[in-house]
């Protein structure tokens, strides 16, 4: 072990807890509160949730450990980490393309992530202005479509959010972020519990729970399984180097296994709480669970409009949602920024501006796909759906598959054993079995099944 192992040119988290907060900040985001409910609604509920949970445990958790391990060992941007480690292990330099695919996936995800985060920003002001007070589901629906029908409005909010992202990334992921995550994450948690409390007062609470937790396997398809698996990667920020780059700033003595468990646990809890808050309101108001990306924006305001202090809680909720999205979006471009700094000698400021501007430009496609271009489709999907499908369901699982193969088959057993330093050998064995066989096989089968090779 050489001394330079503890150092990166980008700095290091001040403690293990900072890493946990930053990684949890990356994981918990729109994926949990906006995407999880709507894809669950589109894919029939319980069975989909079950597949998602199995993927989190058997694929997500072990791959998260692998990503942190690789990052901390390489101590560079994912592209350079993969190149440097491969050189050390005497493996092909081509493994660096995992890093490249991650950078591209991060860009593409950020481009639409920022547009959706822009909706949340817009909703902060709508909630604060009392627009939801006493509003019917129909009126809330109109508020939503008025927003998404207007490309100018979406563009303005998208631009604002992207600038916010660039500012934090330019300052360095550590300063600012540490403070923000420490208070805002617990606050988000509390407000979600409050929303679940409200959902309990509706007469549809049990119906919501049954929808979420009663698996009906006749409702799930091969495509649904692919979406559930893709979402396990998306929600945990895996498969594109975000967790890897955060791992590269992690102190050497922190435990990777217990840290990963905390992050995965917190992320899953937030998603399930969001589901428990939303579906009862959906059913109580006769809304469609399968109404798509607008789901939370069309249902939660109805709840806020009816509860006492709703304007206050609604405003707070959307502010926290923006923060959750913010702490995720910065991790989406961090791999690219770290690489620009390392390989092109750019300052963090110019690297952030260039990377953010590029993602902003691609984001225009998503902005227009909700209005001007809503009729333009490819394979039956418009721009936003296509981008989301390509990144979350193909690029992230593919990246994760390659990371698993690298950690299990290229890195030696000894290296990973030392790096993970797990107290119980049984648990290490379990991790290795998952990363070596279970995760790669599962991802491959789900891919093949979705392509239809196995008749899915
Ligand atoms: N995990 C984030 C969410 O659930 O909203 C999204 C995300 C962030 C995906 C970072 C991928 C990533 F690298």
């Amino acid at each position: 072990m050489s001394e330079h192992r503890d150092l990166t040119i980008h700095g290091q988290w001040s403690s293990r807890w900072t890493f946990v907060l930053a990684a949890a900040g990356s994981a918990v985001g729109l994926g949990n509160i906006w995407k999880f409910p709507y894809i669950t609604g589109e894919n029939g509920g319980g069975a989909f949730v079950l597949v998602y949970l199995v993927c989190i445990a058997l694929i997500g958790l072990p791959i998260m450990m692998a990503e942190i391990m690789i990052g901390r060992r390489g101590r560079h941007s994912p592209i350079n980490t993969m190149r440097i480690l491969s050189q050390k292990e005497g493996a092909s330099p081509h493994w660096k393309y995992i890093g490249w695919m991650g950078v591209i996936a991060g860009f593409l995800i950020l481009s639409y992530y920022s547009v959706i985060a822009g909706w949340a920003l817009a909703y902060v002001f709508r909630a604060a202005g009392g627009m939801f007070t006493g509003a019917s589901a129909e009126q809330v629906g109109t508020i939503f479509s008025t927003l998404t029908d207007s490309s100018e409005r979406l563009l303005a909010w998208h631009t604002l959010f992207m600038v916010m992202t660039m500012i934090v990334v330019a300052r360095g992921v550590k300063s600012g972020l540490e403070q923000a995550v420490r208070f805002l994450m617990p606050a988000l948690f509390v407000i979600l519990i409050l929303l679940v409390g409200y959902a309990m007062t509706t007469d549809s609470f049990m119906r919501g729970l049954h929808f979420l937790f009663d698996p009906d396997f006749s409702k799930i398809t091969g495509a649904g399984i692919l979406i559930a698996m893709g979402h396990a990667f998306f929600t945990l920020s895996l498969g594109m180097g975000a967790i890897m780059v955060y791992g590269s700033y992690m102190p050497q003595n922190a435990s990777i296994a217990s840290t990963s468990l905390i992050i995965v646990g917190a992320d899953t809890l937030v998603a399930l709480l969001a589901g428990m808050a939303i579906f009862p309101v959906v059913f109580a108001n006769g809304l469609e669970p399968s109404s798509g990306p607008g789901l939370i924006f069309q249902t939660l305001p109805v709840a806020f409009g009816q509860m006492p202090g709703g304007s206050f809680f609604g405003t707070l909720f959307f502010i926290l949602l923006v923060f959750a999205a913010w702490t995720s979006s910065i991790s989406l471009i961090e791999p690219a920024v770290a690489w620009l700094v390392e390989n092109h000698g750019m300052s963090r400021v110019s690297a952030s501006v260039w990377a953010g501007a590029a993602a902003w430009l691609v984001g225009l496609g998503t902005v227009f796909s909700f209005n001007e271009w809503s009729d333009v489709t490819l394979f039956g999907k418009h721009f936003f759906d296509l981008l989301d499908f390509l990144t979350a369901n193909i690029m992230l699982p593919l990246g994760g598959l390659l990371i698993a193969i690298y950690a299990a088959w290229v890195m030696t057993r000894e290296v990973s054993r030392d790096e993970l330093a797990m107290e119980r050998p049984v648990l290490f064995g379990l991790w290795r079995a998952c990363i070596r066989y279970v995760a790669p096989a599962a991802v491959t089968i789900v891919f093949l099944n979705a392509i239809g090779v196995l008749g899915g």
Side-chain angles (χ1 to χ4, degrees):
M1 213 185 285
S2 62
E3 320 81 66
H4 79 270
R5 282 273 306 280
D6 271 4
L7 301 170
T8 90
I9 58 166
H10 311 285
Q12 187 174 305
W13 305 116
S14 39
S15 74
R16 169 185 174 219
W17 277 105
T18 318
F19 170 76
V20 172
L21 287 171
S26 165
V28 175
L30 294 174
N32 306 63
I33 296 168
W34 157 75
K35 193 173 177 191
F36 172 72
Y38 96 73
I39 56 177
T40 298
E42 283 180 340
N43 289 282
F48 177 85
V49 175
L50 188 66
V51 175
Y52 155 77
L53 291 174
V54 169
C55 290
I56 291 279
L58 293 184
I59 306 176
L61 180 62
I63 293 186
M64 173 166 295
M65 291 171 59
E67 258 199 52
I68 299 175
M69 173 182 84
I70 294 174
R72 192 174 68 177
R73 211 174 154 71
R75 296 269 184 224
H76 282 81
S77 67
I79 296 175
N80 287 328
T81 280
M82 293 309 299
R83 187 176 50 73
I84 293 166
L85 289 187
S86 300
Q87 216 166 25
K88 269 201 206 149
E89 307 281 348
S92 156
H94 294 319
W95 285 103
K96 70 168 188 242
Y97 290 111
I98 296 183
W100 273 109
M101 188 169 72
V103 165
I104 296 168
F107 263 120
L108 297 179
I109 295 175
L110 179 61
S111 78
Y112 69 80
Y113 205 83
S114 165
V115 177
I116 311 292
W119 298 358
L121 266 177
Y123 266 53
V124 170
F125 295 91
R126 284 159 180 63
M131 270 173 94
F132 302 137
T133 312
S136 65
E138 205 184 342
Q139 286 164 327
V140 172
T142 312
I143 294 174
F144 179 70
S145 54
T146 311
L147 174 67
T148 51
D149 285 350
S150 155
S151 51
E152 290 88 4
R153 284 197 185 132
L154 293 191
L155 185 62
W157 293 115
H158 164 53
T159 308
L160 179 61
F161 186 81
M162 194 62 89
V163 170
M164 286 166 55
T165 301
M166 288 194 236
I167 290 173
V168 178
V169 178
R171 291 182 55 200
V173 167
K174 289 194 311 164
S175 52
L177 180 77
E178 294 204 21
Q179 297 314 353
V181 196
R182 205 183 301 256
F183 296 106
L184 298 170
M185 298 275 294
L188 180 67
F189 199 71
V190 170
I191 203 162
L192 274 176
I193 304 244
L194 198 109
L195 275 170
V196 175
Y198 170 81
M200 280 179 187
T201 68
T202 67
D203 51 11
S204 301
F205 186 63
M206 287 319 287
R207 192 164 162 215
L209 285 197
H210 284 304
F211 180 77
L212 262 181
F213 296 115
D214 278 355
D216 172 356
F217 284 96
S218 67
K219 294 218 179 103
I220 191 123
T221 58
I225 293 174
L226 177 69
I227 295 170
M229 181 182 76
H231 189 63
F233 284 95
F234 184 89
T235 192
L236 295 176
S237 306
L238 295 177
M240 55 147 278
I243 292 291
M244 195 185 286
V245 78
Y246 276 13
S248 75
Y249 312 148
M250 186 185 187
Q252 191 64 32
N253 56 7
S255 154
I256 292 180
S258 60
T259 307
S260 303
L261 204 59
I262 296 171
I263 300 164
V264 170
D267 186 83
T268 309
L269 196 60
V270 170
L272 295 179
L273 283 175
M276 287 163 65
I278 286 157
F279 286 108
V281 180
V282 169
F283 294 123
N285 292 283
L287 295 161
E288 261 314 308
S290 61
S291 59
L295 187 65
I296 69 156
F297 294 95
Q298 286 161 315
T299 53
L300 287 183
V302 181
F304 290 125
Q306 289 166 2
M307 67 172 73
S311 295
F312 173 74
F313 289 121
T315 312
L316 192 60
F317 172 81
F318 285 109
I319 290 178
L320 293 171
L321 184 59
V322 168
F323 272 99
W326 202 359
T327 54
S328 301
S329 65
I330 57 182
S331 71
L332 282 162
I333 45 170
E334 181 62 16
V337 168
W339 178 77
L340 287 171
V341 171
E342 284 166 11
N343 286 42
H344 292 272
M346 276 194 193
S347 67
R348 277 199 74 91
V349 175
S350 32
S352 314
V353 171
W354 280 109
W360 176 85
L361 202 65
V362 181
L364 299 185
T366 294
V367 164
F368 293 128
S369 72
F370 288 101
N371 35 68
E372 268 86 0
W373 297 351
S374 59
D375 297 333
V376 183
T377 57
L378 192 66
F379 305 118
K381 294 179 188 304
H382 63 44
F383 188 86
F384 158 70
D385 285 329
L386 202 63
L387 210 55
D388 176 45
F389 187 85
L390 178 75
T391 51
N393 302 336
I394 299 183
M395 293 176 84
L396 297 186
L398 188 61
L401 172 69
L402 295 172
I403 288 169
I405 293 175
Y406 188 84
W409 297 92
V410 177
M411 283 174 103
T412 64
R413 185 191 164 86
E414 288 64 41
V415 165
S416 56
R417 198 192 48 212
D418 291 350
E419 200 65 54
L420 293 178
M422 291 161 84
E423 272 158 30
R424 294 208 245 147
V426 189
L427 292 183
F428 175 71
L430 209 61
W431 171 79
R432 220 169 126 78
C434 276
I435 201 86
R436 224 169 141 79
Y437 305 108
V438 180
V443 175
T444 311
I445 291 170
V446 174
F447 270 155
L448 293 179
N449 184 45
I451 298 170
V453 173
L454 295 182

